[in-house]
Amino acid sequence: MLDETTTARARGLRDLPPVKSDSLLALIAMAAADSRADKIDVGVGVFRDASGQTPILKVMKQAERILLESQPTKAYLGSAGDKRFAELLRPILLGEHAKDERIAGVQTPGGCGALRLGFELIRTMNPDARVLVGTPTWPNHAPIIRGVGLPMVEYPYYDRDSHQVRFDAMLDALGKARAGDVVLLHGVCHNPTGADLHAQQWAEVTRIVSQRGLLPFVDIAYQGFGRGLDEDAAGLRGLLSACDEVIAAQSCDKNFSVYRDRVGSLFVKTGSADATATAMAHVFQRAREMWSMPPDHGAAAVRIILDDPRLTADWQVELDAMRDRINSVRARIAAADPRLAYIGQQFGMFSMLPLSTEQVVALRERHAIYMADSGRFNVVGMADEAIDRFTGAVVEALDG
C-alpha cells in the first residue's frame, strides 16, 4: 500500500498561477495586428523622427564602426561593466559633484536594471524602508519595488483636470514620511504626465527631504529631452548638494537612442568615501547575483562617444535636434485646441490626454489610434504627416 508521500502529487510548473497581462505589451500587440495602413501607435515609448522612424544616431554609427575596428576582445569585464563609461557620465549627470569621492557609479542593463539594483541595495540596508511614490508613475516602478519586497506608499502627484502637479499633496506625503523612508522622484520629463517640478518646487522638496532624513531615489531616464543636459539634472544636483545619501538610476537608452542595447547606470552617494565603498561592494554583489555583468556593446559605444570631444559635440547636436522635435510637436498639438494648450507647457515624450477609457477605445476602433487606456501618449510617437489626423481625432473625441 502506497503511503501519502508517494501518492501525493508534487507541485510542478503546471501549477503556476496565470500572470496578469501587461497592458502596454497587450497594446503593442494590438497595434501590430491592426492591418490599417494609417494606424498611429503613440503607446510605445520610443522617439520617432519626422518620418515616423526611430533611427540610429549618426554619431552612434560612427562609434560602432570604431568599436568594430578597435575592440581587442570580448572577454568578461566583471560586475562593474565598463568602468570608463560610468566615469565619463559623471560630469554629464552630476555636474559640479562629478569629483565628489562620496559618489560612485556602475553600469547597469538600462534604467530598469539601475532601479532594481538600487532598490536591492535599499532592501539590504533596511527591509522595512517604505518607498513613497507619486501617482500616476511609470508602470514598471511598482512591480520593481514589489519584486524587491519593499513596502510602497502612494500619494497623488498629478491632477488630470488642471493638468498640474498636486504639489500640496506631495508636500503632505513628504511631511508624514518617517526618517529612512525612500522618496522616488522623476528627475525630468515625468512619465506618464510630462508635468515636472519647477525650480522652486524642487528646492522645497529638497529642503523637506533633507530635514526629515529621507532617502531620495531619482529616476532620470530622459536627461536632455526637457530643457537641456544641465537644466534637466538640476533637481538631482540640488539633492546631492543638500543630502548625505542619494541614489540615482540613469538611462542612456533614450538620449543616445540605444533602446534595445539596454544602457544605464546606478549612482550612489553616502556621507563618506568609505561608506560609499561599502555600499558599492553590496551593489557589485547584487549585480553579480542578478546578471553577472551588464551587456557591453551599447555602453562601449557610448563610452567611445564621450571619450572623444568631437564625437561628444556631434552627439549633443543630435540630442538637441531630438529635443527640438519633441518641443515643436508639443507646440503643434497644443495649438490644435485650447483644451490641449497644457501640452505645450510640459516636457519630454509623454503627456496624458483628458480622455476617458471609452474615448480611448473609440479612437482605437474608429481611427486606428493606439494609446494607453489612461490617455497617456507618446508626443513624438508619430510622423509629422500624422499629427493633424491625430489631433483632429482627439478633438472629435473631446467634443464627443
Side-chain angles (χ1 to χ4, degrees):
M1 186 174 181
L2 296 175
D3 59 28
E4 291 183 5
T5 58
T6 303
T7 57
R9 181 173 68 83
R11 293 184 64 84
L13 295 176
R14 60 185 174 277
D15 299 303
L16 286 170
V19 174
K20 183 179 179 181
S21 62
D22 184 292
S23 59
L24 180 57
L25 295 180
L27 182 69
I28 293 171
M30 279 193 290
D34 192 327
S35 61
R36 287 174 284 185
D38 60 348
K39 66 185 176 184
I40 298 173
D41 181 5
V42 288
V44 179
V46 296
F47 175 89
R48 290 187 172 127
D49 62 17
S51 66
Q53 301 301 312
T54 303
I56 300 173
L57 298 184
K58 294 177 183 178
V59 70
M60 180 57 61
K61 283 287 193 181
Q62 295 180 59
E64 288 181 313
R65 283 192 289 269
I66 294 170
L67 180 61
L68 176 65
E69 296 299 327
S70 64
Q71 189 175 52
T73 180
K74 289 190 179 291
Y76 292 121
L77 289 174
S79 298
D82 191 321
K83 294 181 180 179
R84 181 64 177 162
F85 159 80
E87 290 173 5
L88 290 166
L89 283 176
R90 291 178 71 92
I92 294 171
L93 182 67
L94 307 178
E96 65 270 26
H97 304 280
K99 295 182 179 180
D100 191 334
E101 296 181 352
R102 296 169 297 172
I103 305 174
V106 61
Q107 182 198 340
T108 62
C112 283
L115 286 164
R116 179 63 188 240
L117 192 55
F119 283 119
E120 289 281 354
L121 177 64
I122 290 167
R123 187 177 185 278
T124 301
M125 173 192 74
N126 178 11
D128 297 321
R130 304 184 307 169
V131 183
L132 278 65
V133 180
T135 58
T137 192
W138 180 53
N140 214 22
H141 277 150
I144 291 173
I145 295 167
R146 287 197 299 265
V148 174
L150 290 170
M152 188 170 66
V153 178
E154 295 182 343
Y155 64 88
Y157 174 83
Y158 180 74
D159 182 73
R160 290 192 60 173
D161 293 331
S162 67
H163 315 297
Q164 300 292 324
V165 174
R166 295 187 62 178
F167 194 58
D168 289 342
M170 183 177 190
L171 292 186
D172 182 62
L174 298 183
K176 294 177 180 176
R178 303 190 295 249
D181 281 349
V182 180
V183 182
L184 180 62
L185 299 165
H186 293 236
V188 71
C189 301
H190 188 277
N191 180 3
T193 72
D196 286 350
L197 299 176
H198 57 63
Q200 293 82 0
Q201 290 173 329
W202 268 113
E204 183 67 8
V205 167
T206 299
R207 182 187 65 80
I208 295 177
V209 166
S210 176
Q211 287 182 352
R212 297 193 64 82
L214 310 179
L215 174 58
F217 192 150
V218 181
D219 183 1
I220 182 163
Y222 302 96
Q223 187 183 3
F225 274 17
R227 297 176 177 88
L229 286 171
D230 288 327
E231 295 90 338
D232 292 352
L236 169 61
R237 294 173 188 176
L239 287 164
L240 289 169
S241 295
C243 303
D244 284 338
E245 297 186 349
V246 180
I247 298 177
Q250 180 270 352
S251 174
C252 292
D253 291 347
K254 287 79 175 177
N255 55 17
F256 282 88
S257 198
V258 286
Y259 300 91
R260 67 176 61 174
D261 288 333
R262 313 307 298 133
V263 184
S265 63
L266 179 75
F267 282 84
V268 177
K269 178 190 177 184
T270 76
S272 70
D274 288 342
T276 297
T278 299
M280 294 307 291
H282 284 281
V283 165
F284 295 144
Q285 179 61 35
R286 294 293 174 270
R288 170 67 172 162
E289 293 166 0
M290 291 191 290
W291 50 69
S292 184
M293 64 164 280
D296 178 60
H297 179 87
V302 170
R303 181 245 304 153
I304 288 171
I305 292 170
L306 296 182
D307 228 352
D308 183 325
R310 179 182 58 82
L311 294 180
T312 300
D314 290 344
W315 165 62
Q316 290 179 344
V317 168
E318 292 194 79
L319 177 59
D320 290 348
M322 288 193 287
R323 182 176 65 254
D324 288 345
R325 170 162 165 75
I326 292 170
N327 292 333
S328 66
V329 174
R330 280 189 173 277
R332 188 169 167 182
I333 295 172
D337 189 276
R339 291 167 292 185
L340 303 177
Y342 68 93
I343 291 174
Q345 300 166 8
Q346 296 176 340
F347 297 93
M349 293 201 301
F350 303 104
S351 279
M352 296 184 76
L353 291 167
L355 299 172
S356 67
T357 300
E358 292 74 21
Q359 289 170 316
V360 170
V361 171
L363 284 173
R364 191 181 307 158
E365 294 175 348
R366 297 174 189 170
H367 300 282
I369 294 175
Y370 288 82
M371 69 181 72
D373 288 349
S374 64
R376 176 260 207 186
F377 77 106
N378 180 1
V379 174
V380 285
M382 66 196 111
D384 278 358
E385 64 181 18
I387 295 174
D388 289 343
R389 190 170 81 81
F390 173 82
T391 55
V394 169
V395 170
E396 177 186 306
L398 291 173
D399 290 338

